[in-house]
């Protein structure tokens, strides 16, 4: 038996837990009726543990215990999926804050302290804690571990007690939550957490079970079920780079938009999970608080009947999203139906869905911004339920959207048309200029307010003080890998001379390259650049 949670033990635990959840995820998915019966809790927990295990295994040889625990917590935070996955990532963060301080974690009493800390952190992270869930089981695991530590502080004994306490509490969840009782199941997230504790006890005690038990559904007496209120229609998740000071206000705003709110993390990086109807408002709340990225939107089909609508017209259509007048005119001249959004925001999901349904029964969507992609995918789910064949072309910039639209051919088969548009977008490198509004760290150094930032494929590559100088350097870097056509789209902040100066620069340096200039009239970016 082990008395130390050292690097080898933590690594082995992570992999064993991930593998065990991989084998049992189908059984756990079948239990999933709360908070919405979407049947993916086991899968989400497996993916969360898999991300944690891979982060630990990616550490270089010689990594110490503190680095290992930190990798575990960070990997789980970045890879967390679903409500239960996000909560489990917070459990790992709590363990790391106690066990990852000074070398390897030794003894059962310290493990109990870490588990108690994790239980408190997880409960605080949930907007409205509910008993009979993963939180109740976590509390019980901590309580049983504490009782055992007071009499037998050996790590193996305390780890086994935590697993036993979790199992005992799991069986009680059916009677604690009415929706579980009506379906004759235990809580799915709690069942997954029990397997995580079982795996830890197995590694510490060197006693590995032949299988990991997941209580099945039991028959319940028939009774008239109460009318369940329809919950929000979408799950929104994103990672958020933001200061801790803004998180309370973000929690309050998201809590007013929906339910199943969980915000976990710290040290400037957070994982946000919420169920809402207004997807755009949930994403915009994150954009206002900091930098929201890895945005995922899932349509919760089981949360209520979807209002089916037939597409009012047939034929092939393209829907493009943009915030600028000039860009809107460019997309419309290419035959696309344009959905306008305010600069720095995402379009309302209902507006985008209506545009898709009005465009035809075969529709390609061009989101043209990373933040809009998640909204477009959610709208696509709704459109499919109305019988529309739809594809979201993953354009991250307007120049990619224009390149995709340029090869659109409604006479091709839809599948072939989408492939051609996707290839054209992927073959287009995109860059833009942006004015810094505050001091910030970038990949090429610190920028100051008023600096001109040159970005290529979304990353800052140049910092300067002169628009022409920065634009020229960005252009040269983008062409260093080759290119035949350059698209320049000046915005409202660009001088009238900027495009001509860049065309002259190309004429001298790259006479083999063709240049095309279009008026975009975008607010945020003085210049958009595309290279094909």
């Amino acid at each position: 038996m082990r008395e130390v949670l050292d690097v080898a033990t933590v690594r082995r635990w992570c992999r064993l837990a991930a593998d065990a959840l991989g084998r049992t995820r189908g059984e756990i998915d079948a239990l999933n009726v709360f908070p919405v019966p979407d049947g993916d809790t086991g899968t989400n927990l497996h993916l969360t543990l898999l991300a944690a295990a891979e982060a630990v295994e990616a550490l270089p040889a010689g990594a110490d215990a503190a680095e290992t625990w930190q990798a575990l917590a960070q990997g789980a935070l970045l890879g967390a999926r679903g409500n239960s996955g996000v909560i489990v990532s917070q459990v790992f963060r709590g363990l790391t804050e106690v066990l990852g301080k000074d070398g390897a974690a030794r003894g059962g009493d310290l493990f109990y302290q870490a588990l108690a800390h994790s239980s408190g952190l997880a409960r605080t992270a949930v907007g409205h804690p509910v008993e009979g869930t993963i939180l109740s089981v976590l509390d019980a695991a901590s309580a049983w571990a504490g009782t055992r530590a007071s009499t037998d502080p050996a790590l193996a004994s305390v780890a086994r007690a935590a697993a036993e306490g979790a199992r005992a509490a799991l069986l009680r969840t059916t009677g604690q939550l009415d929706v579980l009782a009506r379906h004759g199941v235990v809580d799915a997230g709690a069942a997954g957490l029990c397997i995580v504790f079982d795996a830890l006890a197995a590694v510490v005690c060197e006693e590995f079970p032949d299988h990991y038990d997941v209580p099945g559904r039991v028959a319940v007496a028939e009774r008239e079920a109460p009318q369940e209120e329809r919950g929000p229609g979408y799950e929104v998740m994103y990672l958020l780079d933001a200061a801790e000071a803004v998180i309370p206000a973000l929690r309050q705003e998201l809590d007013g938009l929906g339910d199943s709110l969980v915000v976990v993390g710290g040290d400037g990086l957070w994982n946000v999970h919420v169920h809402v109807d207004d997807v755009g408002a949930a994403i915009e709340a994150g954009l206002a608080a900091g930098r929201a990225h890895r945005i995922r939107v899932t349509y919760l089909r089981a949360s209520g009947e979807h209002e089916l609508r037939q597409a009012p017209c047939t034929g092939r259509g393209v829907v493009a999203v943009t915030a600028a007048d000039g860009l809107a005119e460019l997309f419309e001249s290419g035959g696309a139906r344009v959905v306008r959004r305010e600069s720095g925001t995402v379009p309302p999901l209902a507006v985008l869905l209506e545009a898709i349904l009005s465009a035809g029964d075969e529709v390609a969507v061009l989101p043209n911004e990373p933040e809009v992609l998640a909204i477009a995918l959610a709208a696509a789910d709704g459109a499919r339920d109305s019988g529309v064949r739809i594809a979201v072309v993953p354009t991250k910039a307007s120049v990619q959207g224009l390149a995709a639209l340029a090869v659109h051919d409604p006479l091709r088969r839809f599948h072939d048309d989408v492939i051609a548009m996707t290839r054209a977008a992927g073959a287009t490198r995109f860059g833009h200029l942006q004015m810094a509004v505050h001091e910030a760290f970038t990949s090429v150094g610190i920028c100051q307010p008023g600096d001109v930032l040159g970005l290529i494929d979304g990353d800052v590559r140049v910092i300067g003080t002169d628009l022409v100088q920065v634009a020229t350097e960005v252009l040269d870097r983008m062409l260093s890998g080759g290119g035949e056509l350059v698209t320049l789209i000046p915005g409202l902040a660009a001088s009238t001379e900027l495009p001509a100066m860049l065309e002259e620069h190309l004429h001298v340096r790259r006479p083999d390259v063709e240049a095309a200039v279009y008026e975009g009239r975008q607010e945020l970016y003085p210049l958009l650049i595309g290279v094909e």
Side-chain angles (χ1 to χ4, degrees), residues 391-432:
V392 178
V393 181
T395 52
K396 298 179 180 179
S398 294
V399 289
Q400 287 189 322
L402 291 170
L405 187 59
V407 301
H408 165 58
D409 183 354
L411 299 181
R412 274 194 295 244
R413 291 189 309 165
F414 181 63
H415 178 72
D416 294 335
D417 195 27
V418 170
I419 288 177
M421 295 174 74
T422 302
R423 285 176 175 167
T428 303
R429 297 195 70 191
F430 60 94
H432 68 266

Side-chain angles (χ1 to χ4, degrees), residues 26-381:
E27 298 170 76
I28 298 173
D29 285 344
L31 302 173
N32 185 193
V33 297
F34 179 84
V36 292
D38 48 359
D40 62 359
T41 294
T43 300
N44 287 336
L45 284 171
H46 174 232
L47 293 174
T48 302
L49 266 293
L50 198 60
E54 290 175 349
V56 170
E57 291 166 358
L59 288 171
D64 61 23
E67 293 171 319
T68 302
W69 280 105
Q70 189 60 43
L72 166 62
Q74 189 79 348
L77 178 68
L78 296 176
R81 299 290 186 92
N83 194 308
S84 296
V86 173
I87 293 173
V88 167
S89 76
Q90 190 76 337
V91 173
F92 288 143
R93 178 178 178 84
L95 294 176
T96 296
E97 289 180 351
V98 176
L99 302 178
K101 285 183 177 179
D102 301 307
R106 183 177 297 276
D109 187 62
L110 185 61
F111 174 69
Y112 155 65
Q113 294 175 36
L115 198 55
H117 179 59
S118 293
S119 181
L121 275 185
R123 190 167 284 272
T124 302
V126 177
H128 297 280
V130 175
E131 298 309 318
T133 64
I134 191 173
L135 297 177
S136 304
V137 170
L138 181 57
D139 288 345
S142 173
W144 280 51
T147 300
R148 185 67 58 83
S150 65
T151 58
D152 181 4
L155 177 60
S157 177
V158 175
R160 187 182 288 118
E164 292 169 351
R167 285 285 172 183
L170 174 65
L171 298 179
R172 292 195 297 270
T173 60
T174 306
Q176 290 177 291
L177 199 54
D178 187 59
V179 65
L180 302 180
R182 292 201 306 273
H183 290 85
V185 296
V186 297
D187 181 70
L193 181 64
C194 284
I195 289 176
V196 174
F197 285 134
D198 287 344
L200 177 62
V203 170
V204 171
C205 299
E206 295 285 349
E207 297 173 356
F208 300 95
D210 294 330
H211 72 282
Y212 292 85
D213 182 52
V214 177
R217 190 182 296 261
V218 298
V220 294
E222 289 190 15
R223 54 176 172 162
E224 185 177 350
Q227 185 68 32
E228 295 185 19
E229 294 184 6
R230 177 177 177 176
Y234 298 89
E235 177 188 65
V236 177
M237 293 187 66
Y238 49 81
L239 295 178
L240 180 68
D241 297 330
E244 186 169 356
V246 306
I247 298 303
L250 175 64
R251 287 181 191 272
Q252 184 175 2
E253 183 171 359
L254 293 176
D255 191 37
L257 292 174
D259 58 29
S260 298
L261 173 63
V262 187
V263 181
V264 302
D267 301 322
L269 178 62
W270 309 85
N271 194 317
V272 178
H273 171 282
V274 67
H275 292 175
V276 295
D277 283 320
D278 192 342
V279 175
I283 295 174
E284 287 171 15
L287 295 174
R291 186 176 78 91
H293 50 110
R294 292 199 194 178
I295 300 170
R296 293 195 299 269
V297 178
T298 303
Y299 174 47
L300 302 173
R301 289 181 175 84
S303 63
E305 292 297 323
H306 184 66
E307 297 178 6
L308 295 178
R309 291 179 291 173
Q310 286 300 117
C313 59
T314 59
R316 183 79 51 81
V318 177
V319 173
V321 180
T322 185
D325 294 337
L327 288 170
E329 292 168 5
L330 288 173
F331 282 115
E332 287 171 345
S333 67
R337 179 181 295 270
V338 172
V339 172
R340 297 296 301 272
R341 62 182 180 87
E342 295 296 322
S343 184
T345 70
V346 295
L349 187 144
V351 172
L352 184 54
L353 176 58
E354 190 61 41
I356 292 170
L357 295 176
S358 300
D361 57 2
E362 292 183 336
V363 181
V365 182
L366 307 175
N368 301 326
E369 284 285 345
E371 292 81 7
V372 178
L373 178 60
I375 292 280
L377 292 171
D381 280 340

